[in-house]
Amino acid sequence: MSRNARPQLLYVEEPKLEFRYGQALEYSRDGLYLYGPVDATSNPRPVRYGYIGTRAGLGRFTQWAEQVSGFIPTPSPRRGAKLIEPHHVPFPGFSEAFNALWSTRPTHVVDDIDEKELHRRMHIANRHEAIKAVVDLFVDRLVEVQRRDEDPPSFWYVVIPEFIYELGRPQSVVPRAERVEGRVTLKERDALKLAVQPTLFGDDEKDAEVYKYEKNFRRQLKARLLDHKVVTQLVRESTLAPGDFLNAIGQPRRQLEDPATVAWKLCSGSYYKSGGRPWQIAAMRPGVCYVGLVYKKQTEDDASSHSVCAAQMFLSDGEGVVFRGALGPWFHPESKQFHLDESAAARLVGTVLREYKLKHGKEPAELFIHAKASFNDEEWAGFKAACEGTNTNVVGIQISDAWDQLKLFRSGEYPVIRGTAMVTSERSAFLWTSGFVPRLGTYMGPDTPNPLQVSIRRGEASLQTVMRDVLALSKINFNTCLFNDRSPVTIRFADAIGDILVAAPRSSEPMLPFKFYI
């Protein structure tokens, strides 16, 4: 397309997913319901999981575990509707959906977490101290089991009371009358000063340690378990038993999705975290590897340009590995973008190539690097240098949110079809990754969908191929079992992974699969 050519509208066909027996369908729930997971064999996979939480939480979990053991129908049609909405798929039961051995009884149970003690700790006035104290209870017990047991579970259901969810987030505030006095009296601003001006005896430094942990229960728990290689599935008690949490008029406090949808989401994530692979991208080109760049500042109030860089490597089977890089001056205030220097960029891509070769015996034929920002010359020189001596074609793709740049409207009841693209040049297009989905018969969103701007900034590739890959990578979030996310998985979890990487001090930098972070 020439520079002065008018934009062209085209449709990128919906990528399919592969399931058992090599069957390919668009919707993950259809494929699991009809055929089973892509890695299914004649010997069903045992799903070995543990439970940690309160005794009341165990009762609620047990009821839910029994519920997902059997068939869960789709909800009744809404008033005035003649048919069930097409996006609803009945849940056939865990064993039937995933060709797995599912037990209603966890292999390991830690149900002596004292709810009163959790409540006391969560109400400590200093929020850093409060959340770390609550996380301590869970981490200490999980690590204890991991160390003493020769055959620990594949993952743990961490079932939390509602007050942990409500008060375990950064902006949560405990009412003054309910606050409990804690041990730490050192203020956060004083703790920051100790980094450059330590005390003589180090007593304040011990108290200052608490400020190295983020005020977020989920992120901190995930971060602190990385070194111990413990996989978790966090669930609120109200998700498992919404009928136990009612408002003043006797209705559930939370408006949850129907039981079948909840089962699909939690069980898909559980199968993946047990070591299974529910589906993969169908008909994917061999030797393709995708990398998503992640950047995060170490502290919220860090005014310097230093930040952590990490990469997610994703393969067509949906598996991902996270690499954490060193702290460095990656943020550039003048451009408001993150960029590596040449040596750091070369080390990062070199690590990806070595990990891929370890898994497949050779380097990838194609390496697509996805980022929200563009790539500067120094950064790109490092990426290219790492690929010297290989047959790997490296391509830099910028994927940015274009919500304020373009709206496209379609006549009729529904918005544009997912997969619609407005090509503006040979190397750039606006791509609608959300919109009307014919298989679902609807648009699963509240507002007019916004496109992503997909641009080939460095290297050579077909724009059509890049857009199809972006659509396909929006369909491998095993933790939701949705038809698709709006963003590809390389971008979708960038902030989430970055938040976990800096949520707690780390004693090592293991290269861990994606399941440890979600």
Side-chain angles (χ1 to χ4, degrees), residues 74-95:
T74 54
S76 301
R78 291 178 297 175
R79 182 177 299 177
K82 296 181 179 179
L83 300 172
I84 298 291
E85 289 92 338
H87 64 274
H88 285 297
V89 176
F91 185 72
F94 196 108
S95 297

Side-chain angles (χ1 to χ4, degrees), residues 263-329:
W264 277 119
K265 290 184 175 183
L266 286 179
C267 295
S268 173
S270 298
Y271 182 72
Y272 169 57
K273 291 178 181 181
S274 74
R277 189 154 42 91
W279 62 83
Q280 66 186 27
I281 301 170
M284 179 54 73
R285 306 180 309 286
V288 182
C289 179
Y290 305 92
V291 172
L293 295 187
V294 181
Y295 299 91
K296 210 71 178 178
K297 290 192 175 182
Q298 284 285 84
T299 58
E300 295 178 5
D301 54 356
D302 183 9
S304 75
S305 60
H306 282 66
S307 50
V308 167
C309 172
Q312 315 160 69
M313 182 182 81
F314 283 94
L315 310 176
S316 62
D317 61 8
E319 184 57 280
V321 177
V322 176
F323 312 87
R324 171 167 164 160
L327 187 69

Side-chain angles (χ1 to χ4, degrees), residues 71 98 141 200 217 261 296 374 390 446 450 473 485:
F71 184 85
F98 298 98
R141 297 303 306 278
L200 181 62
F217 174 83
T261 297
K296 210 71 178 178
S374 59
T390 73
N450 298 305
L473 288 167
D485 289 321

Side-chain angles (χ1 to χ4, degrees), residues 14 21 112 179 223 263 278 280 288 359 411 440 477 506:
E14 183 66 52
Y21 309 118
D112 56 354
R179 294 176 188 174
Q280 66 186 27
V288 182
K359 187 177 181 69
S411 63
L440 304 183
N477 181 357
R506 303 285 308 285

